[in-house]
Structure formats: structure tokens, C-alpha cells
């Protein structure tokens, strides 16, 4: 028996995708459902495979089977393929199992030749221009794709003709002009391929089929398959389908509908149509399409039928459908259906509605929504109705929109904000010195940096809109203005940014405030019922903590104490503490910090009452709290020059004193300077060398806890030691924390529970996790630093210098600071989980790095057996959904519709 | 049956160390050999254990057994313990299985009391001063150790008495004076403990024994055991031994001998003695001891007997012995024998001679020499006969001695050396900018930095003497002199340093050149026969390569190409290449570097003909080749100020141009600046972003190879890609290297073999070693960087800022940059070896980090299954020996005498 290579549309099914390709299976499924699909047949992927392996030989039996398919097609439509009278024309389309750019796509109107053109014109009520336009399109597509004639040559002919006729669009060419075009095309083809253009419909068909087969192995397709890991031996199917024309008069037309509103998810037919038009007319925008509701008046029977088919398809595919249709002389044809693209809001609404309607399960509803798309629902956005003046575009680093007066300096930003102004901090890039400016600003805009530069990370952490890497922006030498696209924007002018799109907009923009819709709340509730991972938030302030709680955070996974050190009223005390020459002197300054920290902790612990709050002891190197070295050097240089030119002895004395102080500060800053601060004197290393700092912090935490407990507030502090790489470091600091707790309990006469755990953020901690686990109540992965040390990448340097090249060249598939590197960093995470749990089966393990809010990474953390993820408050809903999806995908993906629609 | 707690010396053996302690087992062994050991007995460690666990109760049976031992002792010496007539006196000494400071050590003359003192005086020919001196020593030791009377109180009595008698030493006190001292001691004791001093010999003995038992748990001993991992339940033995006196007349005496010369290893009795003297007199240096040969004249029979015993002990212990003896009235007693301390040269000579004499095997000889001690045999040293003026001491960072004119600036050092002067580079610390100065200097001296700071590592790599962290040194503000210990040393004055001791010496010193002695060569030959690890050298120049070969290197494991970039004639070209604005411009400069690099490689490959040479492509970040940013900023500032005060238009024009150039350099340097250069744009990342640099280097390597092959030279290049963390990086660069090789072979018409491999120096490379191994011909661990990234330590910062504190607190046992961290870094190494060999069983694996020359680390690399280690040329002999010891220790240590003598 010969292999079966040809399936008529009615013979296939949706699940025959591998054999019929995606397009073929879809056409077959719709036919099987009884929808009015223009008839046709599919040549299977097996035919393509056999053709390729046989050295481009058509496999035995294929020709007969295609001939048979063609005969059946002719019978069904009652017209003969390529006949001179009312000819049957067909389209030839490729269609692999996976959608794959780079392959030959479509040839329309196969079967046309001069005689048939006249037949088509007659059948179309004498519209020669229509028939000739069909013909020139066929010549163009076939010439380009099958005969390999450069596209540009056809364009040149058309352009010349348009110029001669003084028209702007090809559609304005009349029959006479089109005849000349056709003539020129035929000559062009003959000149180019050395023979006359094939006029035999069957020859045309076979040449087209072979071209589709061959395009499976064209370079772009091969590269695409390599990049996406698609096997090279799948082959593509070929779909041969009868042409229908929506431009055959007033009872013909074409349109696109969505079964629900793709912007809101509302349950109403949505879409538009044009009568006497072809598909591309709808897109081209020359005529204004009508809203679909109008079709009920124009062609009520067709409208009713369309409504019925829409319902059938949505019910069948169990999702919002995007349906293309054509009406030919009053008869409706459905050409394509697919899951409709939709906004994030609509995605949620549709998923929840479909579940409520019983079309899908709640689990499926949870899987239907892409968590990454939810970001913009959680931040204020620009009113989509507003007209805005976009002057540049950078990278969308932290979602949400913000408007404010351009302020080019962090101190200035803090000062203006304190005076009640709304400011936008605009910098070449930001450093830890600018934190107070970021805190004060509505949003941040930088000309340098990538998605994980300092500004991006800090802004995301704070949920503040941020656009980075806006390279079109130039700073004036005097530092009082910026230049963007030829326009000069002075300090104090109003700009807006959209951190979801990267747009920089001139002037103010109207904002719309975000809210969790009822559907969103419902969906998250369903997700919560499914997920195994806990979701906490990274939050440093009571405000953040409250917001996190509103978004469903089940605790705080990372409260950074250093942000508390930067506040304007504290920084001088912190600096004095650092500059202290003796531990005693340092202790005095720490005593002044203690009540401030205690108040911070009390407020946060209270905001999170009943939920755990993980507080990380001081992490950054001390020099981050001192002025920049370069600045200090300049100050010293200035004082020296001023001293040389001092007017009198008194001035000299004053300047000498200023110089002395500046020199001392410079000396101390120099002593603290580090070659590689990322790998330097920070984290637990500070706790070991300056235990008095950690003692102050632990005391502040426990005094806050004691005060709350006495007020009946359920405070649950978890003290976290950063950057531990050796069990001995944890022994040293844990003892210190326990001592402080015991002292506070004894002095205050209350008792309370608390945990002491560690961040796992250097490779060594993962390698000796068993030893560390024996001493820790919990682990929290700091995957930012762990990624830096595992790769040996300094994030800031890598983003600025070479990471883009790695991504461009495909040496890296994803930025490992955004999506966790499973193979390297992930292996360390698994080693640490195994080691830690070996030592202590009940060890609580979480992650508080940036990856804790990334859906792809969350799936990994679920697999690796973590207890919770912690992310910025604004990403908590995203994480809740992603955590549920991780369960559903790993548990029983088979039960559900795959989400890669 | 009761436990046996007491062993007479003759009853024990050397292997009963656990039960009898080290000292007891040794005394027993010597007695068993028939040597004249003063008789006595040992109370076992078991007695101490039982005493401690029973709450300081003497265990049942102990008292009877001690009484019995005492009776046997009295019988053997024919005197009664503590009798009034010619009393038997004993010493009581602790002696655990491991030597352990902090425990009670010794009480001499136990058994004395007023009546016995008189008896002793009579028995000593009426020498009352001798007898009283014995008594006052007993009172002092017993009072201090057993009765807990502060030592200082006894000293005060003695001081007062000396002052009264106007003598300088206690030994000058006569009988009358000593009688007053004894009187005062007895009063002091009575006042302090509230009862009269114990005069009953047996009471004295038991109090002393209990004191020894109790000292097992005194705080210093407990801390020591904690630090050294010694179990707390071992207990100590107590040795009770008859006293003998070398000061009983002219036929008495005392001395110390070595069975061979401990300085040279020569086979001759070595040592000295004093007649009519006690042990401490030899040490005190009041009388000059006689060379041992003189004893043959003084007491010929005793000398012959001593010679015989020396031979017996050396043969028995199979090693050079350090023997203490006493002669009492013509009778020789051997008091102690132990392996004698010796110089590195002697250690080698003795080991080889003992093996040649058949006393030990060759394998044992190999195990007998501490590789770490060999360093100073391989470098020029200061003539030990010379008198030198040491003005300060720093850390001995790179062995060998050097003399030169103090030069405080690297440029100046290079200039002076070029002019033929010998210079010593003296800096607060060095940076990569100083390399040319280090190359030019005889040695390097810095005031800052630890054993693994930049200067130390670079100097060790070059085999150049270096002293770092010499904190006593201050630099004058004008930078033209230094101050050390009050002395000012001007630029240009001559200083010397000894990198083996850390000494800084004023003026010139006579040097002795190192040579491999015949014994050293023999021993290394034996080591080579045993070891499994290959030993290569890290060498960047033909000179280094030749030296490495002389020292037995079997190839070059690391040839750093960046050092070739720094030479004075190349740096400007390198800088121009870096500053190039386009790849084309860069390529032009690279074309100028190509012939230089080719010549370098040709010379090195030729020097190593027949052996592999691993050449690492460019590794450091490009900014390391540019001037320091701070310097550039100052230059720009200076030009700006000069421009303001320009005299005329021409000068202004000239200054404007200089300013423009400086600003351009500053701008480019700023663009290259990195927050964490260690984790930045370096290694393979350079090769990916600037493939033209790696192409030039690969071409230079292969053109050099082709030229040599044509000349019939067996050149074996191995191209090494640094800092690889992903298989894709290796794919990218390997393809580039193979392409260059193919091009050169085709153009030159020759063919040659070469390898392409990778350094393994970031954790990720270890974690994905299987993938990387599938693409590499070899791995070479860069354990310096791997240690930095695994711990998250920047070496420079860690050493300067916090590592010392970790070592002081015991949070780290060793500096992980000197001795490999088995637990963390070692685990990654093992993962990488497993992964790499899984992909390619024959994968060649080596190490070229600093650890490659460290004996402890070498043992680990042997265990981990590496193929070779690579170290600085001067450490090659050390590595050869250490590699052999690793085999012997891991293979069959049981056959050999353990080396921790």
C-alpha cells in the first residue's frame, strides 16, 4: 500500500497537527465542525520529509493523490481548476506543526493564465481590473517565491506604472494600466528564467508545492529551527485551498471578528468588516471598515450565521477566537480561527468568565493568563485615550507612568520634593549615592544602563516607574539641561515617562489609576488554592509593607536595613559612625541610630502583624555611605587652590581647617575604597569586623518586637545574615543575635519567638549548605549576587559592557539576571536545598533576589522545592499566579490546554 | 582485676604512646634499648582519664601501684625517696600523646625537705649551696604550680636577695644567701596557703601528680585542644623519674648532641657540653660550652659510650637524633632523644644518606623532607656569615635576597634599570600599572599588603624577592624618601631585602647563589619515580622558561600574554589599539603587535622544544593598560589651569590641544572603567567582544609554530581561553582559533599539532563542566579566581580589609588563597573533573593558580585526579617533591614513618 499523503479538509482533525501542520489541522477541524470553509486539501508533512530525504524527488503516489484531491475539489465547487471559463483558483500555503518564519508562506490565485483571466473577469460581472489585479498578484508572488526573481524588479515595474498614471496606490490602476503591468511582469519573468511564464495550471501547482517543500530547508528556516530547538526532520505540510473573493460585488465582503472584546474581555461580538473588499483592504485603511454590528443591517442572514459560527468556534476551542471571514456573493466563508490576542485585563476577564461558564476549569483559567503581562495592571498607566508627544524611547525598566519636573541632581530632587514639587529624576545613570533622589522622585529616567542597572533595580524594588538606557538623551556640559532629538529640555520643565513601554513624553499626561478588578481577585484566589510556594514581598518601609499585604503578600522576605541608613536625617549619623576612629566612638554614634532603627522595625513589624518579616542586617560596604571619592578629591583640590589665594590670615586659617577636614574624610574614604566592592568588605564580613553594628541592629529589632508584644501585637521577626559562605561566620553572628535577644527579653521581661537564618548568595554557601543548614533556621537565596559570583559577572559592568553582545550572538539565551540560569546557578540552588535539608529536614527555604518575581524563574524555584519566593510588592500578584501555574504545569499539564497558544 | 596504671620505664614501648604519652613512651623505648636512662615509671593517661571522670578522685589501685613503683625505683638506685641521708629525688613531668602547651610541665627535685637538703649536701661532697639551690628551685616550682602562688612573689624574694648581695645572677648567691631565700620562700608559702610547706616526700609526690592531672583541663590546654582538634578525653600521663645531677663535681656534666650536623647534614657527631654544670647552664650562656669532640679528651670512656648510644638511637629511630645527656660522677645518663631540627639543606642530605645507608627506603627519604622548607634553597640568599643592619621587618612574600638603589616610582625604576643600575622598587603597594617597574627591579618592598597582595603574587610569579606589609615604613609627603625606624632613606640609597625572612637591611649585603646540591638532585629523582602528577611551570619569558626547564618543569602550564603587552616598546601600541575608535583602526595597531607577539612565542616555544607550552590569550580588562584614572583627571585639571594662565595665543593653542588629547584619553578610560573589574570585561569576554585581538594572538602563536616546525623544532603550543563559564563561549573562540590555525597552515604550507583548551576559574564552569569538556582538549584550573568567586572574596580587598580578622578569630583556618579550600573550592574542582571526564575520558586537566605550588594543595590535586600542576619556576622542585609525597601518603602511608615528627 502506498502512503497516504493527501487529506481533504474534512478528513483531518485538530490533533493531526504533526501530520497536517498547524494550518492544515485547523482548516480540517473547522471543516469537520461543519463550518463553511472554502474546500481544499492538505499534502502531509510526511510527503515533504520523503521528498527531502529522496533528494527532492516527489514520492511515489503523491502526484496521483494530489490529482485526486484536485478532482474532488473541482467537483465540490463545481468549477474546473484553471479553466478558461469561471476558473477554480487555489491558494498554496505552507504550514508546519510549529509556526516558523522564514519559510515560503503563500501563493494566491494559482491556476491563472491569460485565458482564465478573461474567464474570471466575465464571472465577476465583467470586472477586468479585478481579474487583472488577481493575475498580477499571482505573477508577482509566483515569480518571487517559485522562480526566484528579486521582488524589487516587480516593484520597479509597478512604481513606474503608478508614476505614469500619476496615482499613489496600486489599487487605483485601471484595467489598461494593469494590462501593461502584466505584460511587463511576463517579460521580466521570461528574461529572468529563460523561458515563458508557466501557463499550465497543473505545472503552476506542482512548482508551487515543490517550492514549499524546498523552503523547509532554506537558510532562514534552518537558523530559526536551530535557535528554537525544533528538529530538522519534521517537514512542512502544504495546503491547497479554493480561492474565494470578497470583492465580487456589493453582496461580497470581508472582515475580522473577536468572539469577545479583546480590550476588556466583555462578552460581545467585536470586530469590523468592509463590503466589496478583500482582506488587505481592511488592513490598508483606505476605506473605513464598519463595526461588525452594522452587518446585521447590511446582510442579516450572513450576520446571524457569523454569530452562530463564532459561538461554535469559541465553544469548540474553549477560548476567545479571532476569526477571519469572507463573503462571496452572499455566501459566508470562514477562513481562519485562532486564539485572539487580548489585553492583560481581557485575558483575566475572559479566563474567569470561561471558567464560570463551565467551558474551562478553574485550573485552566489560571493557566490562561500570562503573569508577565499583568505588570501594567498593577501600576498607574497613561490614559490610553490621551494624545501624547513621544520624544524618545528607552528601555521599559520599571512599569507605570510618572510625570514631574526634570531634575538633574539627586540632592535637588530631594529638596524640591520636600518643598512639595513632583519631580522626575533624570541622570546619565544612578549610583547608591542617588537613593534619596530616587525615593523623592515620581520616576527615574537615565541615558545609560540596561534592564538590570542600578536605577532599574532600585526603581523596581520601590515600584517606581523607570526608563533607562534612553540613549537619544544628551546632557549639556553645564548640567542645566538635556537635549533629546534636537529639543532642549531645561531643568524644571515637565516630562513624563511610561515605564511599561519605555516612552519619554513631553509635558504632562493624564494617568489612570490601577485597581485589581473583581475578575483579577477571583483568578488570584483560584491561583492561591493551587500554588505550593508562599509569596512574600521585599519591602523596606511600612508603606511598602502595607501595599504588599494588599497585593496578597504572606510576609516580608527581605527588609533591607541599609535603605533606612540613607534617609536625610540619618546619613550624617551613619557617616560619623563610619568615620569613628575607635569602637567606643563608633558605639556612641550607633547609640544614636538605635532608636531610629527601632522605630523603623516597630512600624514594619506592626504593619505585617501576624506575618513573618525577614530583616537583613547591614549588607553594603561602608564606603557606599560616604561621599564619592572623586568629589572628595575635587573638594580637597579646590580648598588647596583657595588657600593659595587666601585674602588674609583669617581666611587662610578658615580654609586650612576646611582643608584639614576634607583631607581627613578623603583619607578615610580612600582607606575604605575597594578594587571590587561587590566582592569586598560587606555583608557578614562587616558583622565580623564591626560586631557593634550588628549588635545595634539586632537590639533594635528585638526592642521593637518586645514593645509590640507588650502591646499585644503578633510580631514575627526573622533575622537574616547576608553573604554567609562559611558555617563559622554564621556561628559568630548567630551567637551575637541570640545574645542580644536574651538581653532584651531579660531587660524587658517579655518573651517572643524569632528566627535567625542566612542568605545564600555566594557559591561556597551552596557547596557547604549542609554545615550552614545545621546552624540556620532558614535559607533565603540571594540570586542576584549568586548569579554574579557563579558567572563571575559584575552585573553593572556586564550590562554596560558585554552582556548585550552575548545576547546578540546567542551565546546567552536570556539575561541571567532576569531569568534564572537553571544549568549553573540552578544547580547550585539544588545543591544548597539538598544540603540544607539533609542537615535540617524542616529548613525553611526562600528566595529574595530579583528572580523571585520572574514567572520562568518561579517555575524553577517550585521544582527545586523552595518554600517561598519574595519579590517587589507590585509583583506579588504576578508571583501568586506564576506559582500556581508552576504547580499545574509540573503536576498534570496533560489535563490542560497548553498555554503557548 | 584492677586496671594497670603504672609502667616502669623498661616495661613500655614506643608504640604505647596513647597510654604512656609521648615522653613516657620515649623513655620506655630508650630503657628497653638498654640505654642508661635514669630509672622511673609512668602513670598512664588512663589514670588521668579515670581521675577526671570520677570528679578528681584518684582511681582505686593507683596509690598502691605508685607505691610499688617507688619501691622498685628505690631498690634500683639504692637510695630511699626523700631520705635524710643521700636522698632519692624525683622529677614529675606531664606527657600527653600529643605535645600540648599550656599544661603543667615539670617539677624537679620532688622529695626535698630541710633534713634531706643536708643529706644531699653531704652526698655532694659538702656542697651546701648546690643542695640549697636544688631546694629553692623545688619550692619555687612546687609553690607556683601545685600551690598556685604567683610566680612573681618568688621572683621578688630572689631579686631582693640579689640586690642585697650585689650579684647579677642567682647562681652567684652563696649558701648563706640561699638559706635566707629558702626561709623567705617557706614563709611566703605558709602565708599564702595557710599551712606550712609540705615536707612529707609522699605528700609532695601526690600533690604534684594531682596537679599534673588537673592541668589537663586548665583553660589554656582546653583552648589549645579546641584549636587543634585534639579530643578532650585523652588525658595526660605523668612521668616520675630519678633525678641525676651534672653539677656534682668535675666528673659530672651535661650536654646536647646531634647525631649528624643539623646545618649541613654531614655525618659527624655535632654538639657541645659543659662539665660540672646543669642543663640550664648550657643554655644560659654564662660559661662557654665545649665542642663535643673535646669530651674524648676530658672523659674518653664516657665519650665512647655516648658515641655508641648515638649510633644505637639513630639506627633505632632511623633519623638524625637530638640527644640530651647528663654525666653524674663519671656515669653517663641519656635523658631524652628526639628527631633533630635541621636546615632544609641538611634535611635533604640526611634523608638521602639514610636511604643510601639502607636505614630507610627511598620513599621514606622522599617523605622526610618538608617541601615548603626548600624555598630558600632555590633563591639567592644573604651570606649567613655576614653582619647585617636590619632596620625593619615585613612579611616574607617571595623568597630570595636582593640589593638595589631605592626607587619610589615604577617608571623611574624602569628607566634606571635600562641605564644599567640595580634598583629596588619601594612602594606603598603595587598595582598592574607598576608591572614594568617590578620587571626592572631586583626586588620589591611595600609598606602595605599581605602574603597574597598584588606585589607578592607578581613577584612570586617572577621569582623575584619581595617583602610586603612593612608597616614601619613611611613615605615622605614629597615622595622623595622613606622613613624607617627614625632613619630617613633617600631615593637612590642602597637597601637590601630578604624575601625569605621579611628583613629590610640597610646597605648592600653579600649574597650566596643557590645551587641544587647532588643530594637534592638525587632526592628529586626519587620523587619523580614516585609521583603521578606532572609538574609544569608558569613562565612568560624565554628566561623563565629555561629556568623552569633546569628545575625540571615538564612544560609550561601558563604563559601569560598580557605581560608581553606591558614592555616599554609595546605599551604605546597597546594603548593606541585600545583607544581605536573602529575595528579597522584597531586592526591596524594589532598588525603592529603581531610580529612582536610572534617573536615572543617563537622564543618561548623554542626554549621549551619537545614540551607543551600552554599560552593563555589576553585576560585582563583593557583599562589595566591605560594610565590611572586619577592621574588622568589630574592631568586634565592641570592643563585647564595652565590654559587659564596661558601667556600668549600660541601657548594657549598648544595647551588647548594638550587638554583635548588628555580629555579624550580620560573619556575613553572612563568608558572602560568598571565597578568590579575582577568580574568585568576580561578573559573570554574580551575575545567575544573584540575577536580581532584573539585572532591576532592565535595567528602569532601559529606563525611562530610554523616557523619553528620549518626549522625542525618540535613546538607544542596549547592555546588556552581564560574565564570561560559557558560552552557557547568556548565554541565561539575555539572556532576562531581553529580558523587561524587552518589559515596559517594553508599559507605557510606546514602542518603542526596544537590543542585548544580552557581555564576553569568561575564556579559556573565547574557546574557545566560536562558541556565545556565536550569542547575542550584540556582544562586548567585557575584556582586564584575560582577562590575569589566561590567565596565572593576580592583577594586584594579581603587581604587588606578583613581576612586577617577571620584568621585571628579562627573563622578561617588557613588563608584560602594560599592553601586550597577543600570543602568549597575543592568540591567545585571535583565536580569539574567528574563532569569534564564524563564528556571526554582522556581530558587533560591541570591547575595553574598559585595553589599549584603549594604542597598541601598539591596533595588535594593528586587526590582529585588532576594530570599536572603548574607553578612558578622556583617552586617546581617543591612541587615535584610534594607530588611524590601525595602519592606516598595516599597510597600506603602505613609503610612509612609518619612525617609529622
Amino acid at each position: 500500500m502506498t502512503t497516504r499523503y493527501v487529506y481533504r479538509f474534512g478528513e483531518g482533525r485538530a490533533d493531526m497537527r504533526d501530520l497536517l501542520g498547524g494550518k492544515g489541522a485547523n482548516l480540517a477541524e473547522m471543516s469537520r465542525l461543519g463550518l463553511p470553509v472554502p474546500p481544499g486539501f492538505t499534502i502531509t508533512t510526511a510527503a515533504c520529509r520523503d521528498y527531502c530525504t529522496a533528494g527532492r524527488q516527489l514520492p511515489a503516489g503523491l502526484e496521483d493523490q494530489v490529482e485526486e484531491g484536485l478532482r474532488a475539489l473541482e467537483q465540490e465547487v463545481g468549477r474546473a481548476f484553471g479553466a478558461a471559463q469561471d476558473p477554480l483558483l487555489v491558494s498554496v500555503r505552507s504550514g508546519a506543526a510549529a509556526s516558523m518564519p522564514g519559510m515560503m508562506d503563500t501563493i494566491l490565485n494559482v491556476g491563472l493564465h491569460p485565458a482564465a483571466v478573461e474567464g474570471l473577469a466575465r464571472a465577476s460581472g465583467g470586472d477586468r481590473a479585478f481579474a487583472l489585479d488577481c493575475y498580477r498578484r499571482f505573477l508577482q508572488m509566483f515569480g518571487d517565491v517559485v522562480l526566484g526573481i528579486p521582488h524589487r524588479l516587480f516593484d520597479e515595474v509597478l512604481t513606474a506604472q503608478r508614476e505614469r498614471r500619476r496615482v499613489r496606490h496600486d489599487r487605483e490602476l485601471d484595467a489598461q494600466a494593469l494590462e501593461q503591468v502584466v505584460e511587463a511582469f511576463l517579460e521580466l519573468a521570461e528574461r529572468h528564467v529563460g523561458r515563458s511564464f508557466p501557463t499550465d495550471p497543473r505545472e503552476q501547482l506542482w512548482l508551487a508545492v515543490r517550492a514549499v517543500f524546498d523552503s523547509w530547508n532554506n537558510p532562514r528556516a534552518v537558523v530559526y529551527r536551530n535557535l528554537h530547538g525544533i528538529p530538522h526532520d519534521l517537514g512542512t505540510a502544504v495546503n491547497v485551498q479554493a480561492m474565494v473573493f470578497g470583492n465580487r460585488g456589493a453582496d461580497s465582503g470581508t472582515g475580522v471578528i473577536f468572539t469577545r472584546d479583546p480590550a476588556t474581555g466583555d462578552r460581545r461580538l467585536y470586530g469590523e468588516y468592509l463590503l466589496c473588499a478583500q482582506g488587505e483592504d481592511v488592513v490598508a485603511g483606505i476605506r473605513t471598515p464598519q463595526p461588525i454590528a452594522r452587518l446585521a443591517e447590511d446582510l442579516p442572514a450572513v450576520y446571524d450565521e457569523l454569530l452562530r459560527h463564532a459561538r461554535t468556534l469559541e465553544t469548540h476551542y474553549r477560548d476567545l477566537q479571532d476569526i477571519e471571514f469572507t463573503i462571496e456573493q452572499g455566501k459566508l466563508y470562514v477562513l481562519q480561527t485562532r486564539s485572539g490576542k487580548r489585553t492583560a485585563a481581557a485575558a483575566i476577564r475572559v479566563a474567569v468568565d470561561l471558567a464560570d461558564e463551565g467551558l474551562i476549569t478553574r485550573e485552566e483559567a489560571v493557566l490562561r493568563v500570562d503573569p508577565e503581562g499583568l505588570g501594567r495592571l498593577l501600576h498607574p498607566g497613561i490614559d490610553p485615550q490621551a494624545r501624547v508627544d513621544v520624544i524618545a524611547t528607552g528601555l521599559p525598566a520599571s512599569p507605570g507612568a510618572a510625570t514631574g519636573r526634570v531634575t538633574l541632581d539627586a540632592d535637588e530632587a530631594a529638596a524640591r520634593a520636600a518643598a512639595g514639587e513632583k519631580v522626575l529624576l533624570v541622570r546619565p545613570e544612578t549610583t547608591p549615592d542617588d537613593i534619596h533622589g530616587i525615593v523623592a522622585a515620581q520616576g527615574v529616567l537615565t541615558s545609560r544602563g540596561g534592564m538590570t542597572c542600578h536605577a532599574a533595580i532600585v526603581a523596581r524594588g520601590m515600584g517606581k516607574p523607570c526608563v533607562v538606557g534612553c540613549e537619544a538623551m544628551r546632557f549639556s556640559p553645564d548640567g542645566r539641561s538635556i537635549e533629546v532629538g534636537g529639543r532642549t529640555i531645561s531643568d524644571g520643565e515637565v516630562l513624563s515617562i511610561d515605564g511599561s513601554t519605555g516612552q519619554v513624553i513631553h509635558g504632562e499626561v493624564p494617568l489612570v489609576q490601577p485597581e485589581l478588578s473583581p475578575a483579577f481577585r477571583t483568578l488570584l484566589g483560584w491561583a492561591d488554592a493551587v500554588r505550593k510556594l508562599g509569596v512574600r514581598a521585599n519591602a523596606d518601609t511600612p508603606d511598602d509593607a502595607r501595599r504588599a499585604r494588599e497585593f496578597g503578600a504572606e510576609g516580608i522576605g527581605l527588609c533591607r536595613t541599609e535603605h533606612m541608613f540613607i534617609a536625610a536625617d540619618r546619613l550624617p549619623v551613619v557617616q560619623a559612625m563610619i568615620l569613628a576612629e575607635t569602637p567606643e566612638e563608633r558605639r556612641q554614634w550607633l547609640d544614636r541610630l538605635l532608636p531610629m532603627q527601632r522605630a523603623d522595625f516597630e512600624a514594619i513589624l506592626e504593619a505585617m502583624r501576624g506575618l513573618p518579616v525577614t530583616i537583613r542586617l547591614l549588607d553594603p560596604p561602608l564606603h557606599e555611605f560616604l561621599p564619592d571619592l572623586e568629589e572628595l578629591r575635587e573638594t580637597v583640590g579646590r580648598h588647596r587652590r583657595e588657600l593659595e589665594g587666601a585674602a588674609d590670615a583669617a581666611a587662610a586659617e578658615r580654609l586650612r581647617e576646611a582643608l584639614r577636614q576634607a583631607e581627613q574624610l578623603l583619607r578615610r574614604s580612600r582607606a575604605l575604597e575597594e578594587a571590587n566592592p561587590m566582592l569586598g568588605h560587606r555583608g557578614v564580613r562587616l558583622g565580623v569586623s564591626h560586631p557593634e553594628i550588628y549588635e545595634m541592629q539586632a537590639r533594635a529589632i528585638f526592642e521593637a518586637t518586645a514593645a509590640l508584644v507588650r502591646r499585644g501585637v503578633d510580631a514575627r521577626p526573622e533575622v537574616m545574615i547576608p553573604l554567609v559562605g562559611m558555617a563559622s561566620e554564621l556561628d559568630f553572628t548567630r551567637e551575637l543575635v541570640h545574645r542580644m535577644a536574651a538581653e532584651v527579653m531579660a531587660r524587658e521581661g517579655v518573651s517572643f519567638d524569632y528566627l535567625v537564618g542566612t542568605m545564600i548568595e555566594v557559591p561556597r554557601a551552596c557547596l557547604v549548605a549542609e554545615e550552614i543548614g545545621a546552624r540556620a533556621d532558614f535559607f533565603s537565596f540571594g540570586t542576584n549576587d549568586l548569579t554574579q559570583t557563579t558567572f563571575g559577572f559584575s552585573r553593572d559592568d556586564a550590562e554596560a559592557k558585554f552582556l548585550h553582545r552575548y545576547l546578540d550572538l546567542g551565546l546567552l539565551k536570556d539575561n541571567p539576571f532576569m531569568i534564572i540560569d537553571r544549568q549553573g546557578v540552578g544547580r547550585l540552588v539544588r545543591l544548597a536545598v539538598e544540603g540544607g535539608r539533609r542537615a535540617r529536614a524542616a529548613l525553611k527555604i526562600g528566595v529574595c533576589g530579583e528572580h523571585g518575581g520572574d514567572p520562568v524563574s518561579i517555575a524553577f524555584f517550585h521544582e527545586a522545592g523552595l518554600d517561598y519566593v519574595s519579590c517587589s510588592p507590585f509583583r506579588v500578584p504576578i508571583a501568586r499566579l506564576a506559582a500556581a501555574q508552576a504547580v499545574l504545569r509540573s503536576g498534570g499539564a496533560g489535563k490542560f490546554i497548553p498555554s503557548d497558544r
Side-chain angles (χ1 to χ4, degrees), chain A residues 536-816:
Chain A
R536 297 190 186 187
N538 299 345
D540 308 338
T541 65
D543 274 355
D544 280 352
R546 274 185 289 272
R547 186 160 7 183
R549 217 173 168 148
E550 276 162 33
F551 280 152
E554 296 155 323
I556 288 183
L558 175 62
C559 173
R560 281 164 291 229
T561 52
E562 55 268 29
H563 286 177
M564 303 169 184
F565 276 34
I566 293 161
D569 55 331
R570 300 173 186 190
L571 196 55
V573 182
V574 171
Q575 292 183 340
M577 181 273 285
I578 294 169
L579 295 174
E581 306 269 348
T582 63
E584 292 67 41
E585 199 191 325
R586 174 166 300 120
R587 231 176 268 275
Q588 286 173 13
W589 291 108
L590 286 168
D591 286 347
R592 288 186 51 182
L593 283 173
L594 176 72
M596 304 179 186
Q597 286 253 293
R598 186 172 50 217
D600 293 327
F601 296 138
E602 197 169 330
I604 288 188
L605 286 166
E606 182 159 19
M608 296 303 286
R609 55 171 67 199
L611 294 175
V613 176
T614 307
I615 299 168
R616 179 173 73 182
L617 300 188
L618 195 67
D619 183 50
L622 295 181
H623 50 74
E624 280 202 7
F625 299 104
L626 296 182
D628 181 60
L629 261 184
E630 196 173 340
E631 243 170 60
L632 284 173
R633 277 191 208 103
E634 272 166 25
T635 306
V636 166
R638 200 183 56 241
H639 285 331
R640 283 205 186 124
R641 286 194 300 281
E642 287 168 354
L643 186 57
E644 280 169 20
D648 53 43
E653 188 46 46
R654 198 171 34 74
L655 284 165
R656 233 189 305 279
E657 174 56 22
L659 177 60
R660 200 193 56 76
Q661 285 183 10
E663 280 176 339
Q664 189 199 3
L665 195 55
L666 177 59
R667 203 161 40 241
R668 182 80 179 124
S669 294
R670 263 224 188 89
L672 287 173
E673 198 186 7
E674 294 183 303
N676 298 287
M678 158 69 206
L679 305 177
H681 194 175
R682 49 174 286 240
V684 68
R685 299 158 197 175
L686 283 177
V688 169
S689 60
H690 299 85
E692 59 275 14
I693 298 179
Y694 274 21
E695 279 168 10
M696 179 279 284
Q697 293 198 298
R699 215 178 114 198
I701 292 168
F702 294 128
E703 288 182 357
T705 305
L708 290 167
V709 167
R710 253 204 311 265
R711 286 204 275 125
V713 176
D714 179 8
R716 304 192 182 178
E718 303 185 340
V719 180
M720 181 156 74
I721 315 292
L723 215 69
V724 165
M726 306 165 224
S728 59
E729 292 174 317
L730 189 54
D731 281 338
F732 183 90
T733 40
R734 190 182 47 153
E735 186 278 327
L736 175 160
V737 173
H738 283 325
R739 184 156 41 78
M740 288 298 123
E743 279 180 26
V744 171
M745 288 195 213
R747 198 174 52 237
E748 310 276 325
V750 295
S751 92
F752 47 79
D753 289 333
Y754 65 96
L755 302 181
V756 183
T758 173
M759 284 192 78
I760 300 288
E761 46 187 339
V762 297
R764 196 175 190 281
C766 300
L767 297 163
V768 304
E770 189 166 350
E771 275 201 37
I772 295 178
R775 294 153 168 88
D777 296 324
F778 61 88
F779 281 179
S780 180
F781 287 101
T783 48
N784 301 351
D785 280 3
L786 190 58
T787 300
Q788 297 199 75
T789 45
T790 303
F791 276 87
F793 280 175
S794 163
R795 184 173 45 202
D796 291 345
D797 299 325
E799 292 257 338
K801 304 279 159 61
F802 57 84
L803 211 53
H804 58 95
R805 186 157 161 92
Y806 272 66
L807 292 164
D808 288 350
L809 288 171
L811 298 190
L812 271 173
K813 210 170 135 277
D814 301 302
N815 180 337

Side-chain angles (χ1 to χ4, degrees), chain A residues 57-130:
Chain A
Q57 287 277 343
L58 292 178
L62 178 61
E63 284 168 291
D64 291 347
Q65 292 182 37
V66 167
E67 196 54 48
E68 199 180 311
L70 213 47
R71 266 199 305 276
L73 185 53
E74 287 177 331
Q75 243 164 20
E76 191 165 352
V77 302
R79 285 177 283 151
F81 177 48
Q85 208 62 270
D86 193 9
L88 162 64
L89 305 181
V90 298
S91 63
V92 177
R93 287 181 161 101
S94 70
S99 120
M100 205 168 71
M103 276 170 36
M104 196 213 90
D105 188 25
T106 299
I107 304 177
L108 298 179
N109 305 332
V110 175
L112 271 185
H113 49 85
V117 169
E118 301 309 324
L120 181 61
R122 277 192 301 279
S124 312
D127 190 350
R128 281 201 79 228
F130 157 69

